């Protein structure tokens, strides 16, 4: 059985934008036969979720400057291309390659 990867999708409030990004990630990874579990959250929740969820990557539509020192080696992606559609395919391809590399 293939590994199921854990991802966080964060935005300012953890509601609308992060949900849209999460849906784009799920659909994009399903198209690439990669199983993911994407949890949505607000940016302020990330630090508290890292220990409990242990995400493989984090997508954020807002800057993470205030918490980036607490993230360790977790890969961080901008979720903006998944909102605008600009470079969306490249971002999803990059994510797929990254997840396969940590497999």
């Amino acid at each position: 059985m293939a590994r199921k990867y854990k991802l966080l999708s964060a935005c300012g409030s953890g509601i609308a934008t992060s949900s849209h990004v999460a849906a784009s990630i799920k659909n994009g990874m399903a198209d690439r036969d990669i199983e993911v579990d994407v949890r949505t959250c607000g940016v302020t929740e990330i630090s508290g979720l890292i220990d409990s969820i242990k995400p493989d990557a984090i997508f954020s539509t807002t800057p993470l400057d205030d918490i980036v020192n607490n993230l360790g080696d977790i890969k961080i992606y901008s979720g903006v291309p998944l909102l605008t559609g600009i470079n969306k395919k490249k971002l999803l391809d990059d994510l797929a390659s990254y997840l396969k590399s940590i497999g």
Side-chain angles (χ1 to χ4, degrees), residues 22-95:
S24 292
I25 294 167
K26 288 178 189 176
N27 291 335
M29 293 303 101
D31 291 345
R32 292 160 176 81
D33 295 320
I34 297 173
E35 200 172 350
V36 294
D37 180 29
V38 186
R39 164 90 185 257
T40 60
C41 66
V43 167
T44 58
E45 299 173 89
I46 292 175
S47 293
L49 290 171
I50 289 173
D51 289 333
S52 62
I53 293 180
K54 298 184 182 358
D56 296 298
I58 297 172
F59 280 78
S60 182
T61 58
T62 61
L64 299 180
D65 299 338
D66 293 340
I67 62 165
V68 77
N69 291 335
N70 300 325
L71 297 178
D73 293 333
I74 299 171
K75 185 86 167 168
I76 300 170
Y77 292 94
S78 170
V80 174
L82 301 176
L83 296 174
T84 65
I86 299 170
N87 294 322
K88 178 179 178 177
K89 182 185 179 311
K90 180 184 181 326
L91 176 60
L92 293 171
D93 287 343
D94 289 349
L95 175 61

Side-chain angles (χ1 to χ4, degrees), residues 9-32:
S9 174
C11 67
S13 66
I15 301 172
T17 306
S18 60
S19 295
H20 180 81
V21 168
S24 292
I25 294 167
K26 288 178 189 176
N27 291 335
M29 293 303 101
D31 291 345
R32 292 160 176 81

